[in-house]
């Protein structure tokens, strides 16, 4: 890889570590590339689809002219794997916040779980979590939520192409989902618990694919740095 290639345009597949924000990952690569190749301060770099800090996996980072591909990449089908914990909810729908309510799970069988996944296939209405980066009245929803302000969130259409249960060990349920742009897997976990007449929240999430791009070909930010030559 050369400075010319980076400025002209590269698609870099990064395996985002746990607790990192997508913004942090982009900034880390920006710092690495600038230092290694003596690039201009304001060279173009950006990511194609945010991952929450508590999610890991595929983050596509584009440089140079390839930043124009970001919108196109974001519209492609995404695949995730993860774990839903049944019987409890959290305000953020994941582990960012503490459990706020407990629900029964004794009635939940493997058959009921598998049947319920069918209700989520195809086009569905979904409300984004209150702890999300969507803007409302000029502020991010999570800013309203952390300030204790109540906001009305409009539901939106999203499409679930595949929803496969890969492990059941109650209260944990592992899954694999293929979905359209704008799908919140945290909301899917919450709604799935509700559909089971219980509660649910996400305890783990990993993005494995975006279109033809796979996390199998991605690299951790620190490993990416090690893979580059020392000289500028």
């Amino acid at each position: 890889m050369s400075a010319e290639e980076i400025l002209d345009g590269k698609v870099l597949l990064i395996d985002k570590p746990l607790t990192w924000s997508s913004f942090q990952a982009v900034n880390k690569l920006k710092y690495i590339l600038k230092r290694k190749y003596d690039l201009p301060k304001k060279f173009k770099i950006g990511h194609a689809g945010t991952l929450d800090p508590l999610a890991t996996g595929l983050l596509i980072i584009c440089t140079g002219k390839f930043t124009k591909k970001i919108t196109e990449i974001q519209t492609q089908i995404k695949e995730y794997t993860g774990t839903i914990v049944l019987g409890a909810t959290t305000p953020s729908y994941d582990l960012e916040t503490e459990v706020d309510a407990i629900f029964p799970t004794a009635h939940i069988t493997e058959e009921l779980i598998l049947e319920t996944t069918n209700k989520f296939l195809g086009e569905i209405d979904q409300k984004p979590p209150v702890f999300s980066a969507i803007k409302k009245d000029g502020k991010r929803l999570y800013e309203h939520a952390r300030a204790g302000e109540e906001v009305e969130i409009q539901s939106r259409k999203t499409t679930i192409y595949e929803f496969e249960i890969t492990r059941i060990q109650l209260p944990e349920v592992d899954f694999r989902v293929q979905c359209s742009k704008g799908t919140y897997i945290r909301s899917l976990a919450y709604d799935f618990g509700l559909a089971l007449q219980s509660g649910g929240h996400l305890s783990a999430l990993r993005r494995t694919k975006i279109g033809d791009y796979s996390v199998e070909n991605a690299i951790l930010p620190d490993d990416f740095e090690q893979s580059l030559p020392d000289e500028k």
Side-chain angles (χ1 to χ4, degrees):
M1 196 189 307
S2 65
E4 289 75 20
E5 286 178 302
I6 295 160
L7 293 173
D8 194 45
K10 293 287 284 184
V11 174
L12 305 171
L13 306 186
I14 296 300
D15 188 348
K16 188 191 81 63
L18 190 66
T19 75
W20 285 41
S21 70
S22 299
F23 183 71
Q24 278 177 295
V26 171
N27 268 357
K28 173 75 171 176
L29 258 70
K30 189 175 184 179
Y31 170 77
I32 292 168
L33 292 171
K34 276 171 62 179
R35 187 166 59 85
K36 295 278 186 183
Y37 296 104
D38 197 21
L39 297 173
K41 190 175 182 181
K42 291 190 176 180
F43 81 96
K44 289 182 178 179
I45 187 168
H47 67 76
T50 303
L51 271 179
D52 291 332
L54 293 182
T56 64
L58 183 60
L59 187 70
I60 298 177
I61 296 180
C62 300
T63 72
K65 294 172 187 171
F66 279 22
T67 52
K68 292 177 181 176
K69 290 177 174 282
I70 284 175
T71 303
E72 176 196 330
I73 293 169
Q74 283 177 329
T75 61
Q76 296 182 28
I77 294 172
K78 297 174 175 66
E79 181 182 87
Y80 297 88
T81 60
T83 302
I84 300 169
V85 176
L86 298 174
T89 56
T90 71
S92 60
Y93 301 171
D94 65 3
L95 297 180
E96 184 186 339
T97 53
E98 299 291 324
V99 169
D100 63 352
I102 302 292
F103 299 87
T105 57
H107 66 286
I108 298 175
T109 61
E110 183 173 331
E111 185 182 20
L112 181 61
I113 289 169
L114 297 176
E115 277 177 10
T116 304
T117 60
N118 293 325
K119 296 180 182 178
F120 291 89
L121 292 172
E123 190 177 71
I124 61 170
D125 287 313
Q126 187 183 73
K127 278 192 177 183
V130 289
F131 283 80
S132 64
I134 294 170
K135 281 193 173 180
K136 171 91 172 176
D137 302 328
K139 283 203 303 188
R140 305 283 184 189
L141 285 183
Y142 63 75
E143 292 176 314
H144 288 288
R146 287 170 186 157
E149 300 163 1
E150 286 194 22
V151 289
E152 189 177 336
I153 304 170
Q154 298 297 319
S155 64
R156 49 174 64 185
K157 299 283 185 189
T158 189
T159 304
I160 306 295
Y161 300 102
E162 294 182 25
F163 188 8
E164 178 190 5
I165 302 301
T166 55
R167 180 184 70 104
I168 299 172
Q169 193 167 349
L170 292 176
E172 291 185 350
V173 175
D174 289 356
F175 64 88
R176 182 187 64 84
V177 163
Q178 286 195 341
C179 57
S180 64
K181 176 192 175 186
T183 304
Y184 279 90
I185 308 300
R186 285 183 286 150
S187 293
L188 183 65
Y190 177 85
D191 293 340
F192 190 64
L194 205 61
L196 289 166
Q197 297 185 314
S198 184
H201 64 276
L202 204 59
S203 66
L205 184 65
R206 184 165 176 77
R207 185 156 66 196
T208 48
K209 288 180 184 175
I210 300 176
D212 292 330
Y213 298 104
S214 172
V215 75
E216 290 177 4
N217 301 316
I219 189 169
L220 291 164
D222 288 343
D223 292 340
F224 175 77
E225 184 172 18
Q226 295 299 318
S227 73
L228 298 176
D230 288 332
E231 66 275 6
K232 288 179 180 177

